[in-house]
Amino acid sequence: NAGVTQTPKFQVLKTGQSMTLQCAQDMNHNSMYWYRQDPGMGLRLIYYSASEGTTDKGEVPNGYNVSRLNKREFSLRLESAAPSQTSVYFCASSESGNTIYFGEGSWLTVV
Amino acid sequence: TQLLEQSPQFLSIQEGENLTVYCNSSSVFSSLQWYRQEPGEGPVLLVTVVTGGEVKKLKRLTFQFGDARKDSSLHITAAQPGDTGLYLCAGAYSSASKIIFGSGTRLSIRP
């Protein structure tokens, strides 16, 4: 039972490079989320998708774009990476705002 | 700016002592969840509270949802070293599946 799968697990980018974090869930959940977590801190919501075909900004959307490709997949794109985007990124899914299930995290370093 | 404030941010106590962690907001939530996170892993759900004034117990952990559904507390009785970790509260908004997290409480229990 895979749950939420996100890739890559580790990535180093140079400032200005672009990349896409991929996320897929196999629990048939309507809602999907992208969070970032800085060292020792809580999670901050970047974007979320309440259902297939919709996306909304969270608390810290600047510098990111998302795509809800279908019900299973929700990708996060950094168009021009900045050192301030160095963080751990978590994808998650839930059934309409109930318990969140998280992926294992993606460690991103921007140099 | 964190919309969901947790306190204290750090707590280091002796084994056997009791402690309380608070989660406060000016927003009303449809539910409030508590998670625990170990280093290098995603958060794992401990409990969800839904009704204002609700109290839930999980062994030595007691969770309470405020009457107005804006705040919550986590009380641990007779803390043990195995309780060490990052505790996160998360509030779910009723309308759009949006879920935000608190700033986190890093708990350390000394043997």
Side-chain angles (χ1 to χ4, degrees):
Chain A
N1 187 5
V4 180
T5 304
Q6 58 180 107
T7 57
K9 192 168 179 67
F10 299 98
Q11 183 74 49
V12 179
L13 287 177
K14 293 182 178 179
T15 297
Q17 285 186 320
S18 62
M19 77 159 296
T20 299
L21 297 173
Q22 307 286 353
C23 177
Q25 52 94 6
D26 62 2
M27 295 173 282
N28 203 37
H29 286 162
N30 284 313
S31 304
M32 296 187 73
Y33 310 82
W34 276 105
Y35 293 90
R36 61 174 288 175
Q37 185 175 32
D38 298 327
M41 303 292 289
L43 284 79
R44 290 184 292 171
L45 181 62
I46 304 172
Y47 272 92
Y48 68 104
S49 170
S51 61
E52 183 179 357
T54 69
T55 61
D56 285 285
K57 294 179 180 179
E59 301 168 278
V60 288
N62 291 343
Y64 305 95
N65 286 301
V66 290
S67 295
R68 184 74 184 266
L69 304 170
N70 48 56
K71 192 170 185 179
R72 289 188 64 248
E73 298 173 289
F74 188 39
S75 62
L76 177 72
R77 183 161 178 83
L78 286 70
E79 289 292 351
S80 179
S84 61
Q85 294 178 304
T86 293
S87 190
V88 182
Y89 291 84
F90 286 99
C91 178
S93 71
S94 79
E95 187 47 48
S96 301
N98 293 320
T99 304
I100 300 180
Y101 296 87
F102 287 89
E104 293 185 336
S106 296
W107 273 252
L108 176 65
T109 301
V110 183
V111 297
Chain B
T1 303
Q2 202 80 26
L3 301 179
L4 200 52
E5 297 289 340
Q6 272 185 250
S7 61
Q9 190 175 0
F10 300 99
L11 186 58
S12 179
I13 62 171
Q14 205 71 33
E15 181 178 2
E17 294 183 352
N18 302 331
L19 67 105
T20 302
V21 177
Y22 299 94
C23 181
N24 295 288
S25 176
S26 58
S27 301
V28 176
F29 296 110
S30 61
S31 69
L32 198 136
Q33 302 159 14
W34 285 92
Y35 292 79
R36 178 178 161 187
Q37 186 180 22
E38 301 290 347
E41 299 180 5
V44 176
L45 179 72
L46 295 174
V47 78
T48 299
V49 285
V50 178
T51 306
E54 182 177 3
V55 177
K56 279 192 175 179
K57 291 194 174 184
L58 185 65
K59 297 183 180 179
R60 294 177 293 100
L61 279 60
T62 301
F63 305 85
Q64 184 163 7
F65 201 11
D67 290 341
R69 306 208 314 276
K70 294 183 179 181
D71 55 86
S72 181
S73 64
L74 158 60
H75 182 79
I76 300 180
T77 303
Q80 298 177 2
D83 295 328
T84 294
L86 180 66
Y87 289 81
L88 298 160
C89 63
Y93 291 92
S94 59
S95 60
S97 301
K98 183 178 179 181
I99 300 177
I100 63 168
F101 279 77
S103 45
T105 295
R106 186 161 298 280
L107 178 62
S108 175
I109 309 300
R110 304 186 302 274

